[in-house]
Amino acid sequence: MPEDARARQRTGTGVGLLLALVLGAVLLTALPDGGGRDAGGCTPLTVGSWSADDRLTGEFARYGDDGARTDDWTGGDGTHSVRLPDGRLLWLFSDTYLGQVYGPPNPLGESYAWRDSTAPLVRNSAVLMRDGRLEATLPAPLFPDPGPNQWRWPVAARVEPRSPGSDEQVVRVLLWVRTAGQSPWIYGVPTATEVATLSLPDLRVESITKVLDEQRVKDPSRRVLFGTTLVEDGEWTYVFGGDDGQAASRSASSAYVARVPRGGLAEPGAWEYWDGSQWTTGARPRPVLGDGRRTGVGSAFSVVRQNGTYVLFTMAAGTKGLAAVTSYWACSPTGPWHGPEKDFTPSLPAGQVAAYNPQAHLELSGQGRLVLSYDVNWLETAVASAQLSRNVSLYRPRFVTLRLTPAR
């Protein structure tokens, strides 16, 4: 069986984040439980306004539809970004379609650009942007499968010193390892968190280090994968993660947090986990957000820090979580987290589609603006792969620009 066929067989749709990010979604907004300022002096924040960022969304459509190469990115999910020292922007994706895109009409006579059903599907990819224009796809997959029936999905990334205090910089990419499984783990059993080190400026994968092996946790729904988002605060990098609680019929997943000294992401012994009362290297992490019912997160969410306030973005609870984004706020990465409250619904294409994986891109933000991406996928898994090939515009990131304002 060809590798791309085996990949589709493992995921069913070719887009493995959807189950974890939609079925387990629960929202965030930034309103306090009781109003006013929280202890510590930070200001409760919420989404004051938002608008579609058509320029960024259009750039990924332009690049994906460009037929000049047949080995580059034409669609993907799991959208993360990191600014490189030379000014380029590195975009990281999970399950990715490569190959050729054909202009409309598609074989059904519809006015959609399309790809052939035999187009290659890889587990991860990376695309380079310079001055706002996407220009190259790195050889894909960038991160090889760690073993039979296992794969790596890249999540958050940072440029940091090679080691604490070093003058040499490298790119560190957090990776989620998943293993093929049976229902309800049709999108993979959470297995481990790894950190890849990429050299600069050539972005060669130098090493991949396992920082948290979760195979010893018997219940897969209790396993935690870290790296959905990173927040730098002083000399610490705070690494957020989530469990797969929704696979165990809980209505939401829980959020967790670890911290690592700047330059130490690739050193397992440098990681400290919040155990509910203190930072520790020896105990299991405890949730900082999520009661499994009213509050919680999807498996992929994003956290930013603005003027001392932490704001977490995730998909909303219940059926609204197929389309609406909400937020929580806190004065510390360990909480207490307040919300959810107000949400907003960005635009979606027509059809049985869902939004998931809201991710902030600070490299493109500034002057009070916050750029947020979200991924789009077809809901019905039995026909998802065919639908994504029939209309290639579906399985690509979309962008909005937010403004955070004090919550009233």
Side-chain angles (χ1 to χ4, degrees), residues 22 24-28 314-326 343-344:
V22 173
V26 174
L27 331 333
L28 348 176
T314 189
M315 299 308 296
T319 57
K320 292 175 66 177
L322 300 177
V325 179
T326 188
D343 53 53
F344 70 96

Side-chain angles (χ1 to χ4, degrees), residues 210-381:
K210 186 179 296 183
V211 296
L212 183 64
D213 188 345
E214 289 289 79
Q215 295 182 86
R216 59 191 176 90
V217 179
K218 292 183 178 181
D219 181 356
S221 71
R222 303 291 178 179
R223 296 179 179 181
V224 182
L225 297 182
F226 283 91
T228 181
T229 187
L230 304 176
V231 179
E232 294 182 356
D233 187 354
E235 291 302 311
W236 294 100
T237 297
Y238 292 97
V239 188
F240 289 84
D243 59 30
D244 269 13
Q246 67 277 7
S249 300
R250 303 207 306 267
S251 63
S253 293
S254 296
Y256 302 77
V257 66
R259 69 177 187 179
V260 185
R262 182 173 175 80
L265 280 171
E267 300 177 13
W271 284 59
E272 299 178 353
Y273 303 92
W274 183 253
D275 70 359
S277 59
Q278 62 182 344
W279 297 102
T280 178
T281 59
R284 286 291 298 168
R286 302 288 296 177
V288 296
L289 172 62
D291 60 11
R293 298 178 300 279
R294 189 187 73 86
T295 65
V297 295
S299 292
F301 56 92
S302 190
V303 179
V304 299
R305 182 174 180 266
Q306 180 169 305
N307 298 328
T309 302
Y310 290 81
V311 182
L312 183 153
F313 298 93
T314 189
M315 299 308 296
T319 57
K320 292 175 66 177
L322 300 177
V325 179
T326 188
S327 61
Y328 296 85
W329 70 270
C331 295
S332 164
T334 61
W337 289 91
H338 306 276
E341 192 61 45
K342 187 172 68 173
D343 53 53
F344 70 96
T345 303
S347 62
L348 284 173
Q352 300 179 43
V353 298
Y356 59 107
N357 187 35
Q359 288 294 324
H361 301 278
L362 297 182
E363 306 86 355
L364 299 170
S365 306
Q367 298 180 334
R369 299 168 52 257
L370 178 64
V371 174
L372 195 79
S373 67
Y374 58 100
D375 296 326
V376 176
N377 205 340
W378 197 264
L379 276 174
E380 189 178 351
T381 58

